[in-house]
Amino acid sequence: MSAAEKSGARGTMLEEDTDQNYENVLAEIQSFELPIEATLRSVYDDQPNAHKKFMEKLDACIRNHDKEIEKMCNFHHQGFVDAITELLKVRTDAEKLKVQVTDTNRRFQDAGKEIIIQTEDIIRCRIQQRNIITVVEKLQLCLPVLEMYSKLKEQMDAKRYYSALKTMELLENVYFPRVSQYRFCQLMIENLPKLREDIKEISMSDLKDFLESIRKHSDKIGETAMKQAQQQKIFSVALQKQNNVKFGKNMYINHDRIPEEKNEIVLKYVLEEEDENEEEVLTVQDLVDFSPVYRCLHIYSVLGDEETFENYYRKQRKKQARLVLQPQSNMHETVDGYRRYFTQIVGFFVVEDHILHVTQGLVTRAYTDELWNMALSKIIAVLRAHSSYCTDPDLVLELKNLIVIFADTLQGYGFPVNRLFDLLFEIRDQYNETLLKKWAGVFRDIFEEDNYSPIPIVSEEEYKIVISKFPFQDPDLEKQSFPKKFPMSQSVPHIYIQVKEFIYASLKFSESLHRSSTEIDDMLRKSTNLLLTRTLSSCLLNLIRKPHMGLAELVQIIINTTHLEQACKYLEDFITNITNISQETVHTTRLYGLSTFKDARHAAEGEIYTKLNQKIDEFVQLADYDWTMSEPDGRASGYLMDLINFLRSIFQVFTHLPGKVAQTACMSACQHLSTSLMQMLLDSELKQISMGAVQQFNLDVIQCEYSFVVMTSGPPVSPLKKIHVHVVVFASSEPVPGFQGDTLQLAFIDLRQYAS
């Protein structure tokens, strides 16, 4: 096949394919399936001149369809003509039927007008009924919401805020979702946050009023709590005393031992008093309305802001604690100042303890412990500072009692108080110091009022009175008939009584300190030793050193100290009876009365020696010898007569002193007199002595001789040696018994050697 033929054959095949495609497109168009955009696009996109060829095919297809239509119309034309003819025939009948239908319709319309009216009324009523039912249903849906909201308003007006919050929750969770499409519900929903804020503000205001109220009434709360603790303690002590008596223990309260019958009476009285006051016992709930706290806590809990409330409450209470712990500047002046301080603190912590136990988490044990430790440090610092200004032991004792009640009260609420009892030991030392100062004044008054002479007794009653005050035992004195005298002066029984009073006063502080009898015994003995070794000893030394104290008074002081020293063993027995601690116990402290009174006696003895020598000097200074006189006066000098009389009276007083004291005083007087006479004769200003002066001096010595002993005869001696002999006569007369041989004469040995 040639190329031309192949080309023509390919062209023929292409034309056949193209025609077939156009036929398919036309078939698709005639199928009325839309859209046909893709079909037409395939025609135009196929090849150039496709549009023209397609249009030709389309025109050919249209001509074919027109021929088919024409054939069909020709086929059905006669039937159409027949149909028109039939329609023209029934036209007249149709018009008649139309008239009849119109007339029938008119009649039906006239007849149905009333029915239409009634039907419209029925329709209208049905619509109204349906609307009413709808309204009722909606109202029934809204009424509970409105009732709950009204209830909310009533609760707000009645200040039942916790219930109001619960109502709000119910409205939000249950009722509002049912009517949320209504505008009034939206207004209510928008108003709830404001109501909540109002409740928070009101409850916080109530809480502030509550905090201010308990701040003002904390002293009343504390006073009630301390009173209850004190009553409980009194009851416990009375019960314990009864039990101790049943077991044969002697208990000493105040100044007297309480026997079994008295204990039973006391216990019965306490029980009766407890029964009488049982109805009057007030609790912290009776004194304080805690409802604002509970209400505010519940409100903030419901609002989910409990932490804010807890922080605010604790912050405010800490501020109040600082105010309560701040004392008044003059608190130390009266016990009422301390009492008010303690009652306020007790009231504060009683309230906190109550809040701790009745609320969940508002305050915790760790918080109260921290607050108590802070307060305790401040309390101790305040008491330590203010108690240092107390100079009255009675005030210090009342302070101690208040601290004990304060500690016992708070200990009953679970607060640790050991540091307070440690502080009491510091205050005890201060109390002892104030007691020592007070008793120093008491001792001074006793010494000022004493006449320093033996106590005269004229009857058996007076004798028993003195014996009841002071443990004096002397069989010889008991055998003597009235009137008679005790060797000591009136100050001795008074001092002994005051020492016992001091022991009682010291014991008062030791009570209720939760200490053993051994510790109390040790405290009593140590404080009594301080009284003896420091206070009484100092008063005695000051008394002895007073310029106006004479020799007779000093002698009486020595006698008094001797008897007081002997009475120390009775004081030890007295303390033993109080504490029931035997003196044979290893750690029992002994009283230092022996050294105290011995030192006082030594001081008095030294003062006696000094004053005696001063008196001798005073008499010797009165000597006015005319060393150039030609003849003596014929009588002893006046100063010498006064000196002899003075020494005679003094040495008679010395007979009441211990022998060694009197002998030492006599020896000291002889030595001092010898020295004074020697200095008179050896005076550097004395240039010469006449025989008349020597004889006058000799007369004075002779007077001494005649005053004490009768001179024995002996060989003649020189005038100076005779002076020595006559002076020695006084010494040889043994003005104080107990000297052996010529002991006193040794005091004049220098004068003897000079005379020789």
Side-chain angles (χ1 to χ4, degrees):
M1 184 179 289
S2 64
E5 291 175 351
K6 290 180 180 181
S7 176
R10 285 193 298 270
T12 302
M13 293 176 67
L14 290 172
E15 289 179 356
E16 291 177 355
D17 293 337
T18 303
D19 292 340
Q20 183 65 37
N21 290 336
Y22 290 158
E23 291 293 335
N24 294 334
V25 171
L26 291 174
E28 291 179 3
I29 293 174
Q30 294 178 24
S31 65
F32 296 103
E33 293 181 1
L34 296 177
I36 62 174
E37 289 85 357
T39 304
L40 293 177
R41 191 179 297 113
S42 65
V43 173
Y44 290 104
D45 293 342
D46 188 14
Q47 60 183 353
N49 299 321
H51 176 266
K52 182 177 180 181
K53 292 179 179 182
F54 176 74
M55 293 301 297
E56 290 177 355
K57 287 289 182 181
L58 182 62
D59 289 339
C61 184
I62 292 172
R63 285 193 299 269
N64 289 331
H65 283 296
D66 287 341
K67 290 179 180 180
E68 292 177 357
I69 293 171
E70 184 177 355
K71 288 178 179 181
M72 187 176 292
C73 288
N74 290 331
F75 178 78
H76 293 289
H77 177 73
Q78 185 61 40
F80 178 74
V81 171
D82 293 339
I84 293 299
T85 302
E86 289 293 328
L87 287 174
L88 291 174
K89 289 180 179 180
V90 297
R91 180 177 182 180
T92 304
D93 295 333
E95 289 177 354
K96 291 179 181 180
L97 179 61
K98 180 180 178 182
V99 172
Q100 291 176 357
V101 170
T102 303
D103 184 59
T104 302
N105 180 57
R106 180 182 55 79
R107 290 198 304 269
F108 272 110
Q109 290 293 333
D110 293 339
K113 282 183 180 179
E114 187 175 352
I115 297 175
I116 291 172
I117 294 172
Q118 293 178 355
T119 302
E120 289 176 351
D121 292 339
I122 291 173
I123 292 172
R124 187 169 54 252
C125 290
R126 290 292 177 84
I127 292 174
Q128 290 177 353
Q129 184 180 10
R130 183 185 62 189
N131 291 339
I132 290 172
I133 292 173
T134 303
V135 170
V136 169
E137 290 176 353
K138 298 301 181 182
L139 286 177
Q140 288 177 346
L141 190 63
C142 294
L143 277 177
V145 179
L146 297 174
E147 289 175 355
M148 290 299 294
Y149 197 81
S150 175
K151 181 180 179 181
L152 173 63
K153 289 293 186 181
E154 292 176 357
Q155 290 170 341
M156 291 290 294
D157 294 338
K159 298 182 179 181
R160 297 166 55 198
Y161 302 117
Y162 181 74
S163 301
L165 289 174
K166 289 297 184 180
T167 303
M168 289 183 193
E169 286 186 354
L170 195 61
L171 283 171
E172 289 178 328
N173 298 328
V174 178
Y175 291 95
F176 283 164
R178 300 174 184 173
V179 293
S180 59
Q181 68 273 23
Y182 299 111
R183 188 169 178 268
F184 79 89
C185 179
Q186 297 299 324
L187 294 176
M188 290 180 180
I189 293 174
E190 293 173 359
N191 194 36
L192 290 187
K194 182 179 181 300
L195 291 177
R196 284 193 173 94
E197 290 299 322
D198 292 342
I199 290 174
K200 287 180 67 174
E201 293 177 0
I202 294 172
S203 62
M204 185 58 69
S205 176
D206 292 343
L207 177 65
K208 291 178 180 179
D209 295 340
F210 167 78
L211 293 175
E212 181 65 21
S213 175
I214 61 174
R215 187 187 69 82
K216 293 180 179 179
H217 297 89
S218 58
D219 54 346
K220 180 64 176 177
I221 300 171
E223 181 182 357
T224 302
M226 291 177 67
K227 186 180 296 183
Q228 292 173 359
Q230 189 175 14
Q231 291 174 351
Q232 180 64 31
K233 184 175 181 180
I234 292 174
F235 175 78
S236 300
V237 169
L239 186 62
Q240 183 180 7
K241 289 175 185 176
Q242 186 188 39
N243 293 335
N244 288 340
V245 170
K246 289 182 179 179
F247 284 100
K249 296 181 179 180
N250 294 329
M251 298 297 294
Y252 286 81
I253 303 298
N254 294 329
H255 294 193
D256 301 313
R257 187 179 67 182
I258 300 179
E260 183 176 359
E261 293 181 357
K262 187 174 181 181
N263 267 291
E264 293 178 352
I265 294 173
V266 170
L267 181 60
K268 182 178 179 181
Y269 173 77
V270 171
L271 290 173
E272 291 177 352
E273 187 176 8
E274 288 288 335
D275 293 338
E276 292 176 358
N277 297 332
E278 185 175 1
E279 297 180 356
E280 301 177 1
V281 174
L282 299 178
T283 62
V284 65
Q285 295 92 330
D286 299 326
L287 299 174
V288 180
D289 179 17
F290 287 93
S291 59
V293 180
Y294 308 147
R295 185 165 54 247
C296 196
L297 177 60
H298 292 159
I299 288 171
Y300 273 78
S301 300
V302 171
L303 295 175
D305 204 8
E306 185 176 359
E307 184 177 355
T308 300
F309 172 72
E310 291 175 1
N311 293 335
Y312 177 81
Y313 177 83
R314 295 181 184 182
K315 182 179 179 181
Q316 294 300 317
R317 289 297 281 166
K318 283 184 178 180
K319 289 182 179 179
Q320 289 187 347
R322 294 187 182 96
L323 292 176
V324 167
L325 294 172
Q326 190 65 30
Q328 296 181 354
S329 58
N330 61 343
M331 184 179 72
H332 60 276
E333 295 179 358
T334 61
V335 70
D336 291 335
Y338 288 107
R339 182 178 291 109
R340 190 177 305 109
Y341 181 69
F342 286 131
T343 54
Q344 288 179 350
I345 296 174
V346 170
F348 177 89
F349 282 100
V350 167
V351 170
E352 289 303 289
D353 181 77
H354 180 77
I355 294 294
L356 172 66
H357 288 88
V358 299
T359 60
Q360 295 295 330
L362 180 55
V363 296
T364 62
R365 174 57 66 182
Y367 162 78
T368 55
D369 290 343
E370 178 187 358
L371 196 61
W372 169 246
N373 290 331
M374 181 272 293
L376 188 58
S377 300
K378 179 66 175 178
I379 292 168
I380 291 175
V382 168
L383 293 178
R384 187 178 285 126
H386 281 263
S387 63
S388 61
Y389 297 109
C390 296
T391 57
D392 183 7
D394 294 333
L395 180 58
V396 178
L397 183 62
E398 290 180 350
L399 172 60
K400 168 258 175 182
N401 292 331
L402 283 176
I403 294 176
V404 170
I405 298 173
F406 173 74
D408 290 341
T409 303
L410 289 177
Q411 189 175 33
Y413 286 92
F415 295 99
V417 294
N418 292 334
R419 293 173 61 189
L420 285 175
F421 284 101
D422 294 337
L423 174 66
L424 283 174
F425 283 98
E426 298 179 21
I427 298 178
R428 181 199 64 190
D429 295 336
Q430 180 184 350
Y431 175 71
N432 286 336
E433 290 296 325
T434 57
L435 283 182
L436 293 175
K437 291 180 181 179
K438 178 180 179 180
W439 257 259
V442 172
F443 289 149
R444 283 194 296 268
D445 293 340
I446 291 174
F447 290 142
E448 289 293 335
E449 296 173 359
D450 194 10
N451 57 6
Y452 298 98
S453 59
I455 302 175
I457 302 298
V458 297
S459 64
E460 183 70 24
E461 288 76 13
E462 293 182 1
Y463 182 84
K464 290 181 179 179
I465 291 174
V466 176
I467 293 299
S468 65
K469 294 180 180 178
F470 183 76
F472 180 81
Q473 295 179 358
D474 187 356
D476 295 335
L477 183 63
E478 292 179 1
K479 295 176 181 179
Q480 295 179 13
S481 59
F482 295 100
K484 52 187 176 182
K485 294 182 179 180
F486 284 99
M488 65 280 187
S489 65
Q490 192 65 46
S491 63
V492 172
H494 290 168
I495 290 175
Y496 182 80
I497 292 173
Q498 288 303 319
V499 172
K500 292 174 65 176
E501 291 294 330
F502 177 87
I503 295 173
Y504 283 129
S506 182
L507 176 64
K508 289 180 181 178
F509 196 92
S510 301
E511 295 174 349
S512 304
L513 292 185
H514 309 296
R515 296 294 171 176
S516 64
S517 298
T518 303
E519 292 175 309
I520 295 176
D521 181 85
D522 185 65
M523 287 188 290
L524 290 179
R525 292 179 185 274
K526 287 182 178 180
S527 59
T528 306
N529 278 331
L530 284 176
L531 178 71
L532 297 178
T533 59
R534 198 171 77 184
T535 304
L536 182 56
S537 176
S538 176
C539 291
L540 283 171
L541 292 177
N542 292 335
L543 176 67
I544 290 169
R545 295 191 181 106
K546 285 185 177 181
H548 68 272
M549 294 302 293
L551 292 171
E553 287 81 0
L554 292 172
V555 169
Q556 188 62 53
I557 290 174
I558 293 176
I559 297 172
N560 291 347
T561 55
T562 302
H563 290 285
L564 287 173
E565 178 183 340
Q566 296 172 355
C568 284
K569 63 178 182 179
Y570 297 101
L571 292 176
E572 290 187 341
D573 295 339
F574 178 72
I575 296 175
T576 299
N577 290 333
I578 292 177
T579 61
N580 291 321
I581 301 300
S582 175
Q583 300 180 32
E584 284 73 21
T585 305
V586 177
H587 301 289
T588 301
T589 305
R590 309 295 297 183
L591 295 184
Y592 301 143
L594 180 63
S595 60
T596 299
F597 297 119
K598 185 177 292 185
D599 294 341
R601 278 200 302 275
H602 289 166
E605 291 168 6
E607 198 69 21
I608 286 176
Y609 306 150
T610 301
K611 288 185 178 294
L612 186 59
N613 293 339
Q614 289 175 354
K615 281 293 183 180
I616 292 175
D617 290 338
E618 291 175 4
F619 282 109
V620 172
Q621 288 175 3
L622 295 176
D624 188 17
Y625 287 106
D626 183 5
W627 298 107
T628 61
M629 62 188 308
S630 57
E631 294 293 336
D633 292 339
R635 63 181 182 277
S637 300
Y639 85 91
L640 187 61
M641 295 297 298
D642 294 337
L643 175 59
I644 291 172
N645 293 331
F646 170 74
L647 292 176
R648 182 184 294 115
S649 62
I650 288 299
F651 289 140
Q652 287 179 353
V653 174
F654 283 2
T655 57
H656 299 289
L657 289 175
K660 292 184 179 179
V661 177
Q663 293 169 12
T664 303
C666 186
M667 175 62 75
S668 174
C670 291
Q671 289 176 345
H672 190 73
L673 179 58
S674 174
T675 301
S676 299
L677 292 175
M678 182 66 73
Q679 289 177 352
M680 187 183 298
L681 294 176
L682 299 179
D683 190 0
S684 59
E685 296 181 359
L686 184 60
K687 303 300 182 181
Q688 62 179 358
I689 302 177
S690 65
M691 183 57 68
V694 171
Q695 291 177 354
Q696 180 61 44
F697 201 92
N698 184 47
L699 287 175
D700 292 340
V701 177
I702 292 173
Q703 181 62 46
C704 291
E705 173 189 39
Y706 285 148
S707 299
F708 296 96
V709 294
V710 178
M711 281 282 295
T712 59
S713 59
V717 294
S718 64
L720 286 177
K721 193 168 183 179
K722 192 171 184 182
I723 292 174
H724 160 71
V725 172
H726 290 301
V727 171
V728 172
V729 169
F730 171 74
S732 62
S733 64
E734 290 191 9
V736 175
F739 287 105
Q740 297 180 357
D742 54 355
T743 302
L744 282 179
Q745 296 178 12
L746 294 177
F748 300 96
I749 190 169
D750 293 336
L751 183 59
R752 181 186 301 115
Q753 291 175 355
Y754 179 78
S756 302

